[in-house]
PDB file of all heavy atoms in Angstrom:
ATOM      1  N   LEU A   1     -43.303 -49.186 -11.741  1.00 94.00           N
ATOM      2  CA  LEU A   1     -42.940 -48.413 -12.932  1.00 94.00           C
ATOM      3  C   LEU A   1     -43.730 -48.854 -14.159  1.00 94.00           C
ATOM      4  O   LEU A   1     -43.666 -48.199 -15.199  1.00 94.00           O
ATOM      5  CB  LEU A   1     -41.438 -48.545 -13.214  1.00 94.00           C
ATOM      6  CG  LEU A   1     -40.516 -47.570 -12.497  1.00 94.00           C
ATOM      7  CD1 LEU A   1     -39.064 -47.903 -12.832  1.00 94.00           C
ATOM      8  CD2 LEU A   1     -40.832 -46.131 -12.873  1.00 94.00           C
ATOM      9  N   GLY A   2     -44.439 -49.968 -14.048  1.00 94.00           N
ATOM     10  CA  GLY A   2     -45.231 -50.448 -15.175  1.00 94.00           C
ATOM     11  C   GLY A   2     -44.363 -50.716 -16.385  1.00 94.00           C
ATOM     12  O   GLY A   2     -43.354 -51.425 -16.309  1.00 94.00           O
ATOM     13  N   GLY A   3     -44.716 -50.109 -17.509  1.00 93.00           N
ATOM     14  CA  GLY A   3     -43.959 -50.331 -18.742  1.00 93.00           C
ATOM     15  C   GLY A   3     -42.682 -49.531 -18.837  1.00 93.00           C
ATOM     16  O   GLY A   3     -41.985 -49.599 -19.852  1.00 93.00           O
ATOM     17  N   GLY A   4     -42.360 -48.761 -17.807  1.00 94.00           N
ATOM     18  CA  GLY A   4     -41.114 -48.005 -17.802  1.00 94.00           C
ATOM     19  C   GLY A   4     -41.323 -46.529 -18.109  1.00 94.00           C
ATOM     20  O   GLY A   4     -42.395 -46.091 -18.520  1.00 94.00           O
ATOM     21  N   GLU A   5     -40.263 -45.759 -17.882  1.00 96.00           N
ATOM     22  CA  GLU A   5     -40.339 -44.299 -18.008  1.00 96.00           C
ATOM     23  C   GLU A   5     -40.765 -43.851 -19.401  1.00 96.00           C
ATOM     24  O   GLU A   5     -41.533 -42.890 -19.558  1.00 96.00           O
ATOM     25  CB  GLU A   5     -38.974 -43.682 -17.660  1.00 96.00           C
ATOM     26  CG  GLU A   5     -38.510 -43.930 -16.225  1.00 96.00           C
ATOM     27  CD  GLU A   5     -39.342 -43.155 -15.213  1.00 96.00           C
ATOM     28  OE1 GLU A   5     -40.209 -42.355 -15.636  1.00 96.00           O
ATOM     29  OE2 GLU A   5     -39.150 -43.365 -13.996  1.00 96.00           O
ATOM     30  N   GLU A   6     -40.279 -44.530 -20.442  1.00 96.00           N
ATOM     31  CA  GLU A   6     -40.616 -44.126 -21.814  1.00 96.00           C
ATOM     32  C   GLU A   6     -42.110 -44.295 -22.092  1.00 96.00           C
ATOM     33  O   GLU A   6     -42.760 -43.409 -22.656  1.00 96.00           O
ATOM     34  CB  GLU A   6     -39.795 -44.963 -22.806  1.00 96.00           C
ATOM     35  CG  GLU A   6     -39.970 -44.511 -24.237  1.00 96.00           C
ATOM     36  CD  GLU A   6     -39.111 -45.319 -25.202  1.00 96.00           C
ATOM     37  OE1 GLU A   6     -38.055 -45.844 -24.769  1.00 96.00           O
ATOM     38  OE2 GLU A   6     -39.505 -45.431 -26.377  1.00 96.00           O
ATOM     39  N   LYS A   7     -42.668 -45.419 -21.668  1.00 96.00           N
ATOM     40  CA  LYS A   7     -44.102 -45.664 -21.872  1.00 96.00           C
ATOM     41  C   LYS A   7     -44.943 -44.705 -21.015  1.00 96.00           C
ATOM     42  O   LYS A   7     -45.999 -44.247 -21.449  1.00 96.00           O
ATOM     43  CB  LYS A   7     -44.440 -47.118 -21.509  1.00 96.00           C
ATOM     44  CG  LYS A   7     -43.814 -48.167 -22.424  1.00 96.00           C
ATOM     45  CD  LYS A   7     -44.578 -48.241 -23.730  1.00 96.00           C
ATOM     46  CE  LYS A   7     -44.014 -49.350 -24.633  1.00 96.00           C
ATOM     47  NZ  LYS A   7     -44.268 -50.696 -24.099  1.00 96.00           N
ATOM     48  N   ILE A   8     -44.464 -44.415 -19.813  1.00 97.00           N
ATOM     49  CA  ILE A   8     -45.170 -43.463 -18.946  1.00 97.00           C
ATOM     50  C   ILE A   8     -45.203 -42.083 -19.608  1.00 97.00           C
ATOM     51  O   ILE A   8     -46.224 -41.392 -19.593  1.00 97.00           O
ATOM     52  CB  ILE A   8     -44.514 -43.397 -17.554  1.00 97.00           C
ATOM     53  CG1 ILE A   8     -44.774 -44.709 -16.798  1.00 97.00           C
ATOM     54  CG2 ILE A   8     -45.046 -42.209 -16.751  1.00 97.00           C
ATOM     55  CD1 ILE A   8     -44.002 -44.825 -15.493  1.00 97.00           C
ATOM     56  N   ALA A   9     -44.087 -41.692 -20.196  1.00 97.00           N
ATOM     57  CA  ALA A   9     -44.022 -40.396 -20.877  1.00 97.00           C
ATOM     58  C   ALA A   9     -45.014 -40.341 -22.032  1.00 97.00           C
ATOM     59  O   ALA A   9     -45.671 -39.312 -22.260  1.00 97.00           O
ATOM     60  CB  ALA A   9     -42.603 -40.138 -21.375  1.00 97.00           C
ATOM     61  N   LYS A  10     -45.135 -41.434 -22.777  1.00 96.00           N
ATOM     62  CA  LYS A  10     -46.106 -41.477 -23.881  1.00 96.00           C
ATOM     63  C   LYS A  10     -47.537 -41.341 -23.358  1.00 96.00           C
ATOM     64  O   LYS A  10     -48.379 -40.683 -23.979  1.00 96.00           O
ATOM     65  CB  LYS A  10     -45.955 -42.798 -24.652  1.00 96.00           C
ATOM     66  CG  LYS A  10     -44.729 -42.868 -25.539  1.00 96.00           C
ATOM     67  CD  LYS A  10     -44.691 -44.180 -26.317  1.00 96.00           C
ATOM     68  CE  LYS A  10     -43.480 -44.238 -27.233  1.00 96.00           C
ATOM     69  NZ  LYS A  10     -43.412 -45.516 -27.990  1.00 96.00           N
ATOM     70  N   GLN A  11     -47.799 -41.962 -22.228  1.00 97.00           N
ATOM     71  CA  GLN A  11     -49.124 -41.853 -21.616  1.00 97.00           C
ATOM     72  C   GLN A  11     -49.410 -40.392 -21.247  1.00 97.00           C
ATOM     73  O   GLN A  11     -50.498 -39.874 -21.512  1.00 97.00           O
ATOM     74  CB  GLN A  11     -49.200 -42.760 -20.377  1.00 97.00           C
ATOM     75  CG  GLN A  11     -50.564 -42.858 -19.729  1.00 97.00           C
ATOM     76  CD  GLN A  11     -51.490 -43.833 -20.416  1.00 97.00           C
ATOM     77  OE1 GLN A  11     -51.243 -44.269 -21.543  1.00 97.00           O
ATOM     78  NE2 GLN A  11     -52.593 -44.170 -19.762  1.00 97.00           N
ATOM     79  N   HIS A  12     -48.436 -39.737 -20.654  1.00 97.00           N
ATOM     80  CA  HIS A  12     -48.591 -38.334 -20.273  1.00 97.00           C
ATOM     81  C   HIS A  12     -48.726 -37.437 -21.499  1.00 97.00           C
ATOM     82  O   HIS A  12     -49.466 -36.446 -21.476  1.00 97.00           O
ATOM     83  CB  HIS A  12     -47.415 -37.881 -19.414  1.00 97.00           C
ATOM     84  CG  HIS A  12     -47.430 -38.478 -18.046  1.00 97.00           C
ATOM     85  ND1 HIS A  12     -46.307 -38.487 -17.226  1.00 97.00           N
ATOM     86  CD2 HIS A  12     -48.405 -39.105 -17.338  1.00 97.00           C
ATOM     87  CE1 HIS A  12     -46.606 -39.075 -16.078  1.00 97.00           C
ATOM     88  NE2 HIS A  12     -47.877 -39.460 -16.131  1.00 97.00           N
ATOM     89  N   ASP A  13     -48.029 -37.767 -22.558  1.00 97.00           N
ATOM     90  CA  ASP A  13     -48.113 -36.974 -23.797  1.00 97.00           C
ATOM     91  C   ASP A  13     -49.524 -36.993 -24.382  1.00 97.00           C
ATOM     92  O   ASP A  13     -49.932 -36.044 -25.066  1.00 97.00           O
ATOM     93  CB  ASP A  13     -47.120 -37.502 -24.840  1.00 97.00           C
ATOM     94  CG  ASP A  13     -45.671 -37.176 -24.489  1.00 97.00           C
ATOM     95  OD1 ASP A  13     -45.457 -36.296 -23.625  1.00 97.00           O
ATOM     96  OD2 ASP A  13     -44.763 -37.814 -25.054  1.00 97.00           O
ATOM     97  N   LYS A  14     -50.266 -38.064 -24.131  1.00 94.00           N
ATOM     98  CA  LYS A  14     -51.661 -38.155 -24.589  1.00 94.00           C
ATOM     99  C   LYS A  14     -52.599 -37.338 -23.701  1.00 94.00           C
ATOM    100  O   LYS A  14     -53.798 -37.250 -23.985  1.00 94.00           O
ATOM    101  CB  LYS A  14     -52.133 -39.617 -24.586  1.00 94.00           C
ATOM    102  CG  LYS A  14     -51.432 -40.525 -25.571  1.00 94.00           C
ATOM    103  CD  LYS A  14     -52.093 -41.900 -25.639  1.00 94.00           C
ATOM    104  CE  LYS A  14     -51.999 -42.654 -24.335  1.00 94.00           C
ATOM    105  NZ  LYS A  14     -52.539 -44.035 -24.433  1.00 94.00           N
ATOM    106  N   GLY A  15     -52.049 -36.797 -22.612  1.00 96.00           N
ATOM    107  CA  GLY A  15     -52.893 -36.097 -21.646  1.00 96.00           C
ATOM    108  C   GLY A  15     -53.515 -37.031 -20.636  1.00 96.00           C
ATOM    109  O   GLY A  15     -54.417 -36.633 -19.886  1.00 96.00           O
ATOM    110  N   ALA A  16     -53.020 -38.277 -20.609  1.00 97.00           N
ATOM    111  CA  ALA A  16     -53.587 -39.293 -19.719  1.00 97.00           C
ATOM    112  C   ALA A  16     -52.683 -39.532 -18.519  1.00 97.00           C
ATOM    113  O   ALA A  16     -51.461 -39.359 -18.584  1.00 97.00           O
ATOM    114  CB  ALA A  16     -53.788 -40.603 -20.480  1.00 97.00           C
ATOM    115  N   LEU A  17     -53.292 -39.955 -17.429  1.00 98.00           N
ATOM    116  CA  LEU A  17     -52.538 -40.377 -16.253  1.00 98.00           C
ATOM    117  C   LEU A  17     -52.233 -41.869 -16.349  1.00 98.00           C
ATOM    118  O   LEU A  17     -52.880 -42.597 -17.113  1.00 98.00           O
ATOM    119  CB  LEU A  17     -53.345 -40.098 -14.988  1.00 98.00           C
ATOM    120  CG  LEU A  17     -53.723 -38.638 -14.706  1.00 98.00           C
ATOM    121  CD1 LEU A  17     -54.622 -38.556 -13.479  1.00 98.00           C
ATOM    122  CD2 LEU A  17     -52.485 -37.777 -14.523  1.00 98.00           C
ATOM    123  N   THR A  18     -51.291 -42.330 -15.559  1.00 97.00           N
ATOM    124  CA  THR A  18     -51.030 -43.765 -15.497  1.00 97.00           C
ATOM    125  C   THR A  18     -52.049 -44.428 -14.568  1.00 97.00           C
ATOM    126  O   THR A  18     -52.780 -43.746 -13.833  1.00 97.00           O
ATOM    127  CB  THR A  18     -49.617 -44.042 -14.957  1.00 97.00           C
ATOM    128  OG1 THR A  18     -49.542 -43.599 -13.593  1.00 97.00           O
ATOM    129  CG2 THR A  18     -48.556 -43.335 -15.792  1.00 97.00           C
ATOM    130  N   ALA A  19     -52.068 -45.741 -14.591  1.00 97.00           N
ATOM    131  CA  ALA A  19     -53.008 -46.488 -13.744  1.00 97.00           C
ATOM    132  C   ALA A  19     -52.828 -46.124 -12.273  1.00 97.00           C
ATOM    133  O   ALA A  19     -53.802 -45.880 -11.548  1.00 97.00           O
ATOM    134  CB  ALA A  19     -52.811 -47.993 -13.948  1.00 97.00           C
ATOM    135  N   ARG A  20     -51.599 -46.059 -11.820  1.00 97.00           N
ATOM    136  CA  ARG A  20     -51.345 -45.782 -10.400  1.00 97.00           C
ATOM    137  C   ARG A  20     -51.638 -44.323 -10.042  1.00 97.00           C
ATOM    138  O   ARG A  20     -52.085 -44.028  -8.930  1.00 97.00           O
ATOM    139  CB  ARG A  20     -49.911 -46.173 -10.037  1.00 97.00           C
ATOM    140  CG  ARG A  20     -49.685 -47.676 -10.146  1.00 97.00           C
ATOM    141  CD  ARG A  20     -48.251 -48.088  -9.886  1.00 97.00           C
ATOM    142  NE  ARG A  20     -48.093 -49.502 -10.185  1.00 97.00           N
ATOM    143  CZ  ARG A  20     -48.413 -50.488  -9.345  1.00 97.00           C
ATOM    144  NH1 ARG A  20     -48.899 -50.188  -8.150  1.00 97.00           N
ATOM    145  NH2 ARG A  20     -48.246 -51.752  -9.700  1.00 97.00           N
ATOM    146  N   GLU A  21     -51.397 -43.416 -10.979  1.00 98.00           N
ATOM    147  CA  GLU A  21     -51.738 -42.008 -10.730  1.00 98.00           C
ATOM    148  C   GLU A  21     -53.256 -41.847 -10.593  1.00 98.00           C
ATOM    149  O   GLU A  21     -53.737 -41.050  -9.776  1.00 98.00           O
ATOM    150  CB  GLU A  21     -51.203 -41.135 -11.870  1.00 98.00           C
ATOM    151  CG  GLU A  21     -49.688 -40.985 -11.841  1.00 98.00           C
ATOM    152  CD  GLU A  21     -49.126 -40.375 -13.113  1.00 98.00           C
ATOM    153  OE1 GLU A  21     -49.841 -40.368 -14.156  1.00 98.00           O
ATOM    154  OE2 GLU A  21     -47.967 -39.914 -13.087  1.00 98.00           O
ATOM    155  N   ARG A  22     -53.989 -42.595 -11.373  1.00 98.00           N
ATOM    156  CA  ARG A  22     -55.457 -42.549 -11.269  1.00 98.00           C
ATOM    157  C   ARG A  22     -55.922 -43.076  -9.918  1.00 98.00           C
ATOM    158  O   ARG A  22     -56.812 -42.503  -9.293  1.00 98.00           O
ATOM    159  CB  ARG A  22     -56.069 -43.368 -12.406  1.00 98.00           C
ATOM    160  CG  ARG A  22     -55.882 -42.738 -13.782  1.00 98.00           C
ATOM    161  CD  ARG A  22     -56.125 -43.715 -14.914  1.00 98.00           C
ATOM    162  NE  ARG A  22     -56.014 -43.064 -16.223  1.00 98.00           N
ATOM    163  CZ  ARG A  22     -55.914 -43.705 -17.374  1.00 98.00           C
ATOM    164  NH1 ARG A  22     -55.897 -45.041 -17.398  1.00 98.00           N
ATOM    165  NH2 ARG A  22     -55.830 -43.044 -18.507  1.00 98.00           N
ATOM    166  N   LEU A  23     -55.307 -44.157  -9.471  1.00 98.00           N
ATOM    167  CA  LEU A  23     -55.672 -44.721  -8.164  1.00 98.00           C
ATOM    168  C   LEU A  23     -55.290 -43.779  -7.030  1.00 98.00           C
ATOM    169  O   LEU A  23     -56.009 -43.675  -6.023  1.00 98.00           O
ATOM    170  CB  LEU A  23     -55.011 -46.082  -7.978  1.00 98.00           C
ATOM    171  CG  LEU A  23     -55.541 -47.191  -8.894  1.00 98.00           C
ATOM    172  CD1 LEU A  23     -54.632 -48.414  -8.833  1.00 98.00           C
ATOM    173  CD2 LEU A  23     -56.968 -47.573  -8.533  1.00 98.00           C
ATOM    174  N   ASP A  24     -54.180 -43.072  -7.192  1.00 98.00           N
ATOM    175  CA  ASP A  24     -53.788 -42.088  -6.180  1.00 98.00           C
ATOM    176  C   ASP A  24     -54.867 -41.025  -6.009  1.00 98.00           C
ATOM    177  O   ASP A  24     -55.129 -40.557  -4.896  1.00 98.00           O
ATOM    178  CB  ASP A  24     -52.468 -41.413  -6.565  1.00 98.00           C
ATOM    179  CG  ASP A  24     -51.264 -42.326  -6.363  1.00 98.00           C
ATOM    180  OD1 ASP A  24     -51.393 -43.326  -5.625  1.00 98.00           O
ATOM    181  OD2 ASP A  24     -50.203 -42.040  -6.955  1.00 98.00           O
ATOM    182  N   LEU A  25     -55.500 -40.640  -7.109  1.00 98.00           N
ATOM    183  CA  LEU A  25     -56.567 -39.638  -7.054  1.00 98.00           C
ATOM    184  C   LEU A  25     -57.854 -40.209  -6.467  1.00 98.00           C
ATOM    185  O   LEU A  25     -58.601 -39.503  -5.780  1.00 98.00           O
ATOM    186  CB  LEU A  25     -56.856 -39.089  -8.454  1.00 98.00           C
ATOM    187  CG  LEU A  25     -55.837 -38.135  -9.061  1.00 98.00           C
ATOM    188  CD1 LEU A  25     -56.284 -37.734 -10.467  1.00 98.00           C
ATOM    189  CD2 LEU A  25     -55.671 -36.891  -8.200  1.00 98.00           C
ATOM    190  N   LEU A  26     -58.116 -41.478  -6.744  1.00 98.00           N
ATOM    191  CA  LEU A  26     -59.365 -42.096  -6.308  1.00 98.00           C
ATOM    192  C   LEU A  26     -59.400 -42.291  -4.791  1.00 98.00           C
ATOM    193  O   LEU A  26     -60.404 -41.951  -4.140  1.00 98.00           O
ATOM    194  CB  LEU A  26     -59.561 -43.440  -7.016  1.00 98.00           C
ATOM    195  CG  LEU A  26     -60.792 -44.250  -6.601  1.00 98.00           C
ATOM    196  CD1 LEU A  26     -62.081 -43.524  -6.981  1.00 98.00           C
ATOM    197  CD2 LEU A  26     -60.752 -45.644  -7.245  1.00 98.00           C
ATOM    198  N   PHE A  27     -58.340 -42.826  -4.239  1.00 98.00           N
ATOM    199  CA  PHE A  27     -58.352 -43.212  -2.825  1.00 98.00           C
ATOM    200  C   PHE A  27     -57.931 -42.056  -1.923  1.00 98.00           C
ATOM    201  O   PHE A  27     -57.099 -41.226  -2.300  1.00 98.00           O
ATOM    202  CB  PHE A  27     -57.446 -44.424  -2.602  1.00 98.00           C
ATOM    203  CG  PHE A  27     -57.986 -45.692  -3.198  1.00 98.00           C
ATOM    204  CD1 PHE A  27     -57.427 -46.229  -4.347  1.00 98.00           C
ATOM    205  CD2 PHE A  27     -59.075 -46.330  -2.619  1.00 98.00           C
ATOM    206  CE1 PHE A  27     -57.940 -47.401  -4.898  1.00 98.00           C
ATOM    207  CE2 PHE A  27     -59.586 -47.492  -3.162  1.00 98.00           C
ATOM    208  CZ  PHE A  27     -59.028 -48.024  -4.304  1.00 98.00           C
ATOM    209  N   ASP A  28     -58.495 -42.026  -0.737  1.00 98.00           N
ATOM    210  CA  ASP A  28     -58.181 -40.986   0.243  1.00 98.00           C
ATOM    211  C   ASP A  28     -56.673 -40.940   0.487  1.00 98.00           C
ATOM    212  O   ASP A  28     -56.056 -41.961   0.832  1.00 98.00           O
ATOM    213  CB  ASP A  28     -58.902 -41.266   1.567  1.00 98.00           C
ATOM    214  CG  ASP A  28     -60.419 -41.239   1.429  1.00 98.00           C
ATOM    215  OD1 ASP A  28     -60.906 -40.789   0.363  1.00 98.00           O
ATOM    216  OD2 ASP A  28     -61.104 -41.672   2.370  1.00 98.00           O
ATOM    217  N   ASP A  29     -56.087 -39.771   0.290  1.00 97.00           N
ATOM    218  CA  ASP A  29     -54.644 -39.554   0.505  1.00 97.00           C
ATOM    219  C   ASP A  29     -53.777 -40.482  -0.346  1.00 97.00           C
ATOM    220  O   ASP A  29     -52.608 -40.726  -0.009  1.00 97.00           O
ATOM    221  CB  ASP A  29     -54.283 -39.734   1.985  1.00 97.00           C
ATOM    222  CG  ASP A  29     -55.049 -38.773   2.884  1.00 97.00           C
ATOM    223  OD1 ASP A  29     -55.210 -37.604   2.491  1.00 97.00           O
ATOM    224  OD2 ASP A  29     -55.498 -39.212   3.952  1.00 97.00           O
ATOM    225  N   GLY A  30     -54.344 -41.036  -1.441  1.00 97.00           N
ATOM    226  CA  GLY A  30     -53.581 -41.939  -2.303  1.00 97.00           C
ATOM    227  C   GLY A  30     -53.171 -43.221  -1.621  1.00 97.00           C
ATOM    228  O   GLY A  30     -52.216 -43.901  -2.046  1.00 97.00           O
ATOM    229  N   ASP A  31     -53.894 -43.590  -0.576  1.00 97.00           N
ATOM    230  CA  ASP A  31     -53.524 -44.751   0.249  1.00 97.00           C
ATOM    231  C   ASP A  31     -54.398 -45.952  -0.110  1.00 97.00           C
ATOM    232  O   ASP A  31     -55.616 -45.909   0.066  1.00 97.00           O
ATOM    233  CB  ASP A  31     -53.691 -44.392   1.724  1.00 97.00           C
ATOM    234  CG  ASP A  31     -53.289 -45.540   2.641  1.00 97.00           C
ATOM    235  OD1 ASP A  31     -52.494 -46.404   2.210  1.00 97.00           O
ATOM    236  OD2 ASP A  31     -53.779 -45.582   3.790  1.00 97.00           O
TER     237      ASP A  31
END
């Protein structure tokens, strides 16, 4: 969860993905 739901929401509000969401996109099948 990293910094928690509130911080994740702020990241999304900037139009940015979280660190783990970025890695999910990078690796095959998010694995």
Side-chain angles (χ1 to χ4, degrees):
L1 274 177
E5 298 290 355
E6 186 178 333
K7 294 283 183 68
I8 290 172
K10 286 183 179 179
Q11 186 81 345
H12 289 163
D13 288 344
K14 294 188 296 185
L17 299 175
T18 65
R20 294 176 188 278
E21 288 168 342
R22 291 163 177 166
L23 292 168
D24 286 342
L25 286 178
L26 177 65
F27 290 106
D28 297 349
D29 301 320
D31 182 24

